Amino acid sequence: MTQANTRATRGRGSPTEEHYVEAIGALEELATPVGTAAIAQSLGLSMPSVSEMLARLSNNGLVSYAPYSGASLTDKGKRLFASLVRRHRLWEVFLNRCLGFGWEEVYPPACELEHATSDAVIEKMAEFLGHPGTCPHGAPIPSADGKWPEKRSRGLSEMQDGHTARIVRVLREDDADCLQFLADRGIVPGASIRVLDIAEFDGTVTLGVEGATRAIGRDVASRLRVGPDQAPA
Amino acid sequence: MTQANTRATRGRGSPTEEHYVEAIGALEELATPVGTAAIAQSLGLSMPSVSEMLARLSNNGLVSYAPYSGASLTDKGKRLFASLVRRHRLWEVFLNRCLGFGWEEVYPPACELEHATSDAVIEKMAEFLGHPGTCPHGAPIPSADGKWPEKRSRGLSEMQDGHTARIVRVLREDDADCLQFLADRGIVPGASIRVLDIAEFDGTVTLGVEGATRAIGRDVASRLRVGPDQAPA
DNA sequence: TGAGACTATTAGGCAAGCCTAACATTCTTG
DNA sequence: CAAGAATGTTAGGCTTGCCTAATAGTCTCA
Ligand SMILES: [Mn+2]
Ligand SMILES: [Mn+2]
Ligand SMILES: [Mn+2]
Ligand SMILES: [Mn+2]
């Protein structure tokens, strides 16, 4: 009836809880368990707020958490996380493909819409979009039953000079400036690249992209995932 | 950064405040000023909650309000109301036309999505949908600058036996059962009808709709708005 | 091992939104 | 006009979700 009731009804957490689960799930891909500080930084909140919420999420069975030992998603939490990522990335596809937003713009509106989207709506949306497998940044979209597609990609640093590959994914989808920078240089999912040089000294990578030569720093390079140059038959 | 901050940034109220403005705006079309009880009933909340929020909305300059005298939207409140109705009805069009939801299903999801939708997103959506003039229930969609289209419709009760007309709008868009009832009988915006009888006793209306004879009660009949049978040239 | 730097929790407080119970006003109607 | 009904507000309390300041645990390194 009321907003809160609606949320209770739909069998998920509050938007706030969902934000936490989203952040924890993303951070778990880097290191697990996830520390309070990392979550606080990622959400722009104070550590006490995070401590408090971790206790609550633990109570709700979404994360397993012991004081001073960090947090990690439970199976239930992982399911919610997959559902969130699915909702988020399908919205990104819609915003990009149908409404014409650039890939550097889609993250914030998707992050709002995802919490206001029921399963019924998102499944209709998936059908409307033709069940896309990835978001505009090349990130995989989990299936409705929470399964993640196989990910077969490497980092740029694993490539050797002169070799070619195709960009399959760009990490840090929320960093609009970086995405703009990359898009300006044609470095987007699907683009073919050739590694011209990886500097020993500071990791600067020089690429050939569509006939042009592009240099990118180590940090940005580490956000690129590549796959084989030809689409797998 | 945080949800609350995001909301503050976008220069509107919280979703909760928006719900109140939405309810007050809708009730104002029936009678003004709007009483606390009516708002409470419409939102499914207690009267003290409404009293409290009216004080706050009054502080924010969205409603003018004096104790025991009811509330009415200020100009600022009216602008927010128009923006909300625009967002709500554009979402309804999208849900109905693109995602395939029935007109009796679109109200609740639209009511969630509208509060998570920025102006940028809704204007792109309007363009995507071809700037529709009405929602699936035939209700007008205000323009981006808050103007309401001219409404040229009559109630069924103003019609005489034997006359024909076209349904242009159905009120109470949130009453799924009633909408289902009407859709089952072909009584939807755009349908041509002939008034066969309006009972003096209890106001029951007998209609001819697409060759079939349909009877509806006084209350349901009062929710139908009709216009001339031919589309105005 | 022990000081300092991190990391994390506890304590205490605040605003938004909701509630019930109690009280106050206004309307209706004989 | 004087109930009594209807409407509306006040009082007091709750949860969620955030904060700062203070405290406590952990890690690193001389
Ligand atoms: Mn989000
Ligand atoms: Mn993405
Ligand atoms: Mn709403
Ligand atoms: Mn509608």
Side-chain angles (χ1 to χ4, degrees):
Chain A
M1 181 151 278
T2 237
Q3 270 195 316
N5 295 349
T6 303
R7 272 167 212 149
T9 295
R10 86 182 177 201
R12 300 200 294 239
S14 67
T16 302
E17 285 174 340
E18 289 192 343
H19 265 305
Y20 276 90
V21 168
E22 212 172 358
I24 295 166
L27 291 168
E28 258 185 349
E29 285 173 15
L30 308 178
T32 177
V34 181
T36 307
I39 301 168
Q41 170 148 31
S42 145
L43 292 175
L45 298 174
S46 71
M47 289 208 297
S49 299
V50 173
S51 253
E52 180 183 273
M53 183 57 88
L54 286 179
R56 200 148 88 221
L57 293 173
S58 175
N59 255 33
N60 299 355
L62 291 167
V63 310
S64 82
Y65 163 70
Y68 293 104
S69 307
S72 49
L73 295 178
T74 61
D75 283 357
K76 183 179 169 192
K78 286 196 173 79
R79 279 194 298 277
L80 176 55
F81 177 62
S83 157
L84 270 164
V85 171
R86 178 173 173 78
R87 282 179 261 156
H88 183 107
R89 292 184 180 161
L90 285 169
W91 275 118
E92 284 189 347
V93 172
F94 173 75
L95 291 165
N96 178 242
R97 188 197 292 174
C98 298
L99 299 195
F101 285 96
W103 77 337
E104 77 282 359
E105 299 175 303
V106 296
Y107 189 95
C111 200
E112 292 295 310
L113 288 165
E114 66 193 1
H115 308 289
T117 310
S118 69
D119 286 344
V121 168
I122 209 63
E123 293 318 317
K124 294 269 198 181
M125 174 67 85
E127 201 181 328
F128 176 67
L129 296 173
H131 297 283
T134 62
C135 78
H137 313 99
I141 297 176
S143 65
D145 61 350
K147 300 257 186 310
W148 294 78
E150 200 58 35
K151 43 188 165 186
R152 190 173 303 279
S153 68
R154 297 170 292 151
L156 261 195
S157 57
E158 298 163 43
M159 292 183 63
Q160 302 189 337
D161 289 7
H163 281 201
T164 63
R166 184 200 309 270
I167 304 285
V168 299
R169 178 175 176 185
V170 177
L171 303 175
R172 296 295 313 278
E173 313 164 31
D174 56 335
D175 186 340
D177 290 342
C178 179
L179 294 176
Q180 183 72 65
F181 171 89
L182 290 169
D184 288 345
R185 286 158 182 73
I187 303 171
V188 297
S192 283
I193 58 156
R194 174 186 296 268
V195 174
L196 301 179
D197 180 64
I198 301 183
E200 284 289 326
F201 173 59
D202 66 352
T204 297
V205 178
T206 307
L207 298 174
V209 187
E210 292 185 18
T213 299
R214 308 294 194 181
I216 58 180
R218 191 180 50 81
D219 288 355
V220 171
S222 73
R223 299 181 184 184
L224 303 181
R225 306 291 302 177
V226 299
D229 202 8
Q230 279 85 245
Chain B
M1 184 145 265
T2 238
Q3 271 195 317
N5 295 349
T6 302
R7 271 167 212 147
T9 294
R10 86 183 177 201
R12 301 200 294 240
S14 67
T16 303
E17 285 173 340
E18 290 193 344
H19 266 304
Y20 277 90
V21 167
E22 213 172 357
I24 295 166
L27 291 167
E28 258 186 349
E29 284 171 17
L30 309 177
T32 178
V34 181
T36 307
I39 301 169
Q41 170 147 31
S42 145
L43 291 174
L45 299 174
S46 71
M47 289 207 297
S49 300
V50 173
S51 254
E52 182 183 89
M53 182 58 88
L54 285 180
R56 202 149 84 220
L57 293 174
S58 176
N59 255 34
N60 297 355
L62 291 166
V63 310
S64 82
Y65 164 68
Y68 292 104
S69 306
S72 49
L73 294 179
T74 60
D75 283 356
K76 183 177 168 190
K78 286 195 173 81
R79 278 194 299 276
L80 176 56
F81 178 62
S83 156
L84 271 164
V85 171
R86 177 173 173 79
R87 282 179 261 157
H88 183 106
R89 289 182 182 162
L90 284 169
W91 275 118
E92 283 189 348
V93 173
F94 173 75
L95 292 164
N96 178 242
R97 188 197 292 176
C98 297
L99 299 195
F101 284 96
W103 78 337
E104 77 284 357
E105 299 175 300
V106 296
Y107 189 95
C111 200
E112 293 295 311
L113 288 165
E114 64 194 2
H115 308 289
T117 309
S118 69
D119 286 345
V121 168
I122 208 63
E123 292 318 316
K124 294 269 197 180
M125 175 67 87
E127 199 181 330
F128 177 67
L129 296 172
H131 297 283
T134 61
C135 78
H137 313 100
I141 297 176
S143 64
D145 61 349
K147 300 257 186 310
W148 295 78
E150 202 57 36
K151 43 190 168 187
R152 191 173 301 280
S153 69
R154 297 170 294 151
L156 260 194
S157 57
E158 299 162 43
M159 292 183 63
Q160 303 191 337
D161 289 9
H163 281 201
T164 63
R166 184 200 307 270
I167 303 285
V168 298
R169 178 173 176 185
V170 177
L171 303 176
R172 296 293 313 278
E173 313 164 31
D174 56 335
D175 187 340
D177 289 344
C178 179
L179 294 176
Q180 182 73 64
F181 171 87
L182 289 169
D184 288 347
R185 285 158 182 74
I187 302 171
V188 297
S192 283
I193 58 157
R194 175 185 296 269
V195 174
L196 302 177
D197 182 62
I198 301 183
E200 283 290 326
F201 173 58
D202 65 352
T204 297
V205 178
T206 307
L207 298 175
V209 186
E210 292 184 17
T213 299
R214 310 293 194 181
I216 58 180
R218 190 181 49 83
D219 288 355
V220 171
S222 73
R223 300 182 185 185
L224 303 180
R225 306 289 304 178
V226 300
D229 202 5
Q230 281 87 243

